[in-house]
Amino acid sequence: MSLRVLRWTAAALVAAVFLAPLLWMFAGSFRETSALFRGGPWSWIGGDGWTWDNYGEAWRRGALGRASLNTLLQVAVIGGGGLFVNSMAAFAFARMRFAGREALFAAVVVFVILPVEVLAVPLFFTARDLGLTGGYTSAMAGLTLPFLAKAFNIYLLRQHFMALPTALEEAAVIDGAGAWRVFWNIALPAVRPALATVVLLDVLTHWSDFLWPLLVATREETRTVQIGLANLFTQPPVDWGAILACAVMATLPVLLSFRLLQRHLVLTDTGAGIK
Amino acid sequence: MSDWRRRQSRAAVWFLAPAGILLAVFVVWPLARSLWWSFHYADLLAPDGQPWAGGSHYSDLLRDPRFRRAFANTALFAVLVVPLQTTLAFFLALWVNRPEPAWRWLRVVFFLPTIVAMPVLAILWTMLYQPAQGDETGLINAMLGIVGVPAQAWLRDPLLALPAIAFMSIWQGTGLQMMVFLAGLQNVPRETLEAARVDGAGAWQRTRHVVVPAMRNSIVFVVTVTTILAFRLFVQPYLMTRGGPGNSTVSLVQTIYETTFLAQDLGRACAAAFLFLLLVGGLALVQRRLLREERA
């Protein structure tokens, strides 16, 4: 019995360590800046100095309306378009026979470990040469196009396509289905959980993109949420309350998409699959 | 059926073309160009057509104190984060691997920091680490005050800044690894575990001799990925300390960024990026070897 109590106390304590920073962020977004760093450790829960103003200030100074739309668009294009492009390639690697398949796939595997940071600078020039920087449409294309095809996603989806039984595919082929029909009507629906995982990982990754938007989305109208937040933080006067409000607003959409896609999350093959 | 097999190689081209073209344009071509620039005196405003520099960018970098400091900092960060985070995530996974709903909630709590964007967390933790000034202080100093630990300058202390960034990164990344381990735990054979229990093996022995071997693949995956991610350290120091105080938190990626956009020395930046790539790739290979050989 006492062991049980001990276990629950430990659980509560560890949970508190993981939650406290995020709870402080949320509570702090409703506090006047002057009250944020004042008083004892528990002052952020009680006391005075509560306000709604941070949200208005953050929305205005971070140009959050536009920035949120930009980021949503960016994440939607990468998530949706990438899913299409990567699942097609993964399907070919998993279910089709063609010359040079092993060599091509080995090249894809090498790209999996290639860090974005190595590529960022030369990629910036490629994007500029292709006219993917500057104006609104160009910069949005620059934010999204380079990240549609992703080696890791091809790799992960291939694992799932390979696990499908051949019987399904054979039956469809006998009924006269072509490669596209097999892919679109049979294989894709069968790996839906993997698709959800890939989309969720893309949303999480690109929602927090920082280095790349810092390079290509430099104009005010192309700013993403994270850049807007960082600007609030680096350009004086620093209004801590507004920064926290902005941080909360930048977090809600990912929480929401996580909530929506969470049931489908499968990390099994990422864990067991890489050789 | 044979018709389908024959048509495949033609269909494969169309299935591979979109991803193939995108990868060629946005990965292969920039990489090739960057390798070329790393051997030339390329600069940001006029990258092409510059004179040959040989290996001078590479040798300069290896002698540059700031680059070396960045390397040391990044390595120290990885040494702090990889073992601590992996061990913590492993034991958290073992701990919350229970069916009752309460533990499922606990899993969500641990996972929560990993879905919040890193720039958000970097700024949030800058506030939590706020040093004491007059009657104002950050939450961490306030909490430590309860147990009698004196207030620290954290991010403004050259000795504490990097460990402070490492601590916040561990807090952020543990949840995702825990999820990978939870998935890996499904591979642990229940019968073996039960047999070990019957034979009188304690919790530690069961973990050491049954659970760990069964989860090899997950562990290798987590260690490799975490090492690569640790070496990619950028956002936290860039936003939290700008690499300071002194050079105490400057990271490899930050030096690449600065060499390009502040010094505008593209050739040198590309050389730095390739050294970085060699390092990360080499580490991944070495780890793979070591972790695999342990099995034999």
Side-chain angles (χ1 to χ4, degrees):
Chain A
M1 195 59 204
S2 69
L3 191 73
R4 213 177 131 77
V5 174
L6 196 72
R7 184 186 290 159
W8 282 105
T9 317
L13 273 177
V14 180
V17 172
F18 275 84
L19 267 185
L22 297 175
L23 289 178
W24 188 82
M25 172 173 96
F26 188 70
S29 70
F30 295 102
R31 302 301 294 272
E32 281 162 14
T33 297
S34 61
L36 272 175
F37 301 107
R38 190 152 291 165
W42 306 113
S43 60
W44 54 288
I45 301 169
D48 48 3
W50 295 89
T51 176
W52 285 98
D53 298 346
N54 294 330
Y55 282 85
E57 185 71 6
W59 189 265
R60 198 175 51 74
R61 276 193 59 202
L64 272 194
R66 190 58 178 272
S68 311
L69 272 182
N70 291 344
T71 314
L72 280 175
L73 190 63
Q74 177 205 2
V75 170
V77 171
I78 295 178
L83 198 58
F84 192 64
V85 168
N86 293 320
S87 59
M88 275 172 71
F91 180 75
F93 280 125
R95 310 301 280 196
M96 292 177 172
R97 253 178 264 154
F98 53 89
R101 184 174 75 163
E102 300 311 314
L104 268 181
F105 186 66
V108 169
V109 171
V110 170
F111 291 154
V112 171
I113 68 146
L114 185 74
V116 198
E117 290 77 8
V118 170
L119 217 52
V121 171
L123 189 54
F124 170 75
F125 282 93
T126 304
R128 205 187 58 180
D129 294 348
L130 293 173
L132 300 180
T133 58
Y136 185 74
T137 324
S138 332
M140 287 314 291
L143 276 180
T144 51
L145 280 184
F147 304 102
L148 286 184
K150 204 168 286 163
F152 180 77
N153 292 353
I154 296 177
Y155 181 89
L156 190 135
L157 290 170
R158 173 180 167 271
Q159 299 285 110
H160 288 268
F161 280 128
M162 292 213 303
L164 294 181
T166 44
L168 266 179
E169 172 183 334
E170 275 162 9
V173 173
I174 288 164
D175 286 349
W180 180 256
R181 289 276 304 280
V182 173
F183 167 69
W184 189 254
N185 294 341
I186 294 162
L188 262 194
V191 297
R192 212 177 291 146
L195 301 182
T197 305
V198 166
V199 170
L200 185 61
L201 290 178
D202 267 348
V203 170
L204 293 181
T205 311
H206 292 287
W207 190 271
S208 40
D209 262 356
F210 186 71
L211 183 58
W212 184 245
L214 196 64
L215 303 185
V216 288
T218 45
R219 293 197 194 173
E220 169 116 18
E221 80 242 34
T222 54
R223 219 190 246 172
T224 62
V225 170
Q226 306 303 335
I227 301 293
L229 174 66
N231 283 347
L232 275 188
F233 177 66
T234 47
Q235 286 166 11
V238 175
D239 179 344
W240 293 109
I243 287 170
L244 286 180
C246 187
V248 169
M249 286 190 280
T251 304
L252 290 179
V254 271
L255 276 181
L256 196 70
S257 47
F258 175 69
R259 188 75 196 82
L260 288 175
L261 292 168
Q262 170 201 25
R263 306 183 283 128
H264 304 287
L265 193 67
V266 277
L267 288 164
T268 325
D269 280 73
T270 58
I274 289 195
K275 295 210 179 73
Chain B
M1 204 60 216
S2 63
D3 186 36
W4 152 250
R5 289 275 176 237
R6 222 178 309 121
R7 282 200 318 240
Q8 272 183 359
S9 62
R10 228 177 312 147
V13 175
W14 293 106
F15 275 80
L16 289 171
I21 292 170
L22 286 167
L23 286 175
V25 173
F26 294 115
V27 177
V28 180
W29 169 240
L31 260 190
R33 247 177 126 191
S34 150
L35 186 62
W36 175 260
W37 284 334
S38 78
F39 291 104
H40 289 81
Y41 291 105
D43 72 70
L44 193 61
L45 299 175
D48 294 307
Q50 301 295 331
W52 176 254
S56 66
H57 292 313
Y58 289 91
S59 51
D60 284 354
L61 277 169
L62 295 176
R63 278 194 300 265
D64 175 25
R66 189 168 161 87
F67 186 78
R68 283 156 72 143
R69 186 61 199 265
F71 173 77
N73 288 339
T74 310
L76 177 63
F77 178 79
V79 167
L80 287 173
V81 167
V82 177
L84 287 177
Q85 187 174 312
T86 310
T87 318
L88 181 63
F90 186 81
F91 285 107
L92 284 182
L94 285 181
W95 192 39
V96 300
N97 189 30
R98 294 161 210 267
E100 296 92 348
W103 298 98
R104 209 164 56 226
W105 278 106
L106 205 52
R107 267 177 248 171
V108 172
V109 166
F110 296 151
F111 190 67
L112 219 46
T114 68
I115 62 177
V116 182
M118 194 46 110
V120 169
L121 295 177
I123 292 170
L124 172 64
W125 279 75
T126 310
M127 300 175 75
L128 298 177
Y129 279 132
Q130 208 62 215
Q133 257 173 348
D135 61 341
E136 300 200 340
T137 187
L139 183 65
I140 289 177
N141 277 333
M143 285 301 204
L144 288 176
I146 307 179
V147 285
V149 177
Q152 304 292 325
W154 301 115
L155 299 173
R156 297 193 199 154
D157 181 329
L159 281 178
L160 288 177
L162 193 65
I165 290 174
F167 181 82
M168 127 342 128
S169 307
I170 292 171
W171 169 83
Q172 194 264 343
T174 300
L176 187 69
Q177 298 188 335
M178 182 196 71
M179 297 301 272
V180 177
F181 283 138
L182 275 169
L185 276 172
Q186 309 311 312
N187 299 332
V188 177
R190 278 171 192 261
E191 314 82 65
T192 323
L193 214 52
E194 206 39 55
R197 194 198 299 271
V198 171
D199 289 347
W204 174 251
Q205 283 178 310
R206 288 200 303 271
T207 307
R208 173 77 189 77
H209 297 289
V210 182
V211 179
V212 170
M215 288 178 64
R216 261 207 87 73
N217 281 339
S218 305
I219 295 172
V220 172
F221 175 78
V222 163
V223 169
T224 315
V225 170
T226 314
T227 310
I228 294 173
L229 289 179
F231 269 86
R232 289 169 51 180
L233 174 72
F234 172 66
V235 174
Q236 299 96 305
Y238 183 78
L239 282 174
M240 294 168 86
T241 59
R242 289 270 158 178
N247 282 336
S248 64
T249 59
V250 66
S251 72
L252 280 175
V253 175
Q254 191 182 333
T255 59
I256 298 175
Y257 176 81
E258 286 171 352
T259 313
T260 317
F261 292 100
L262 300 181
Q264 313 213 335
D265 191 341
L266 188 60
R268 191 176 160 128
C270 290
F274 270 94
L275 285 177
F276 178 70
L277 182 62
L278 276 178
L279 183 74
V280 171
L283 269 173
L285 273 178
V286 168
Q287 278 186 342
R288 199 120 285 193
R289 273 291 146 73
L290 285 178
L291 291 169
R292 184 168 291 170
E293 268 173 11
E294 211 175 61
R295 184 181 226 168

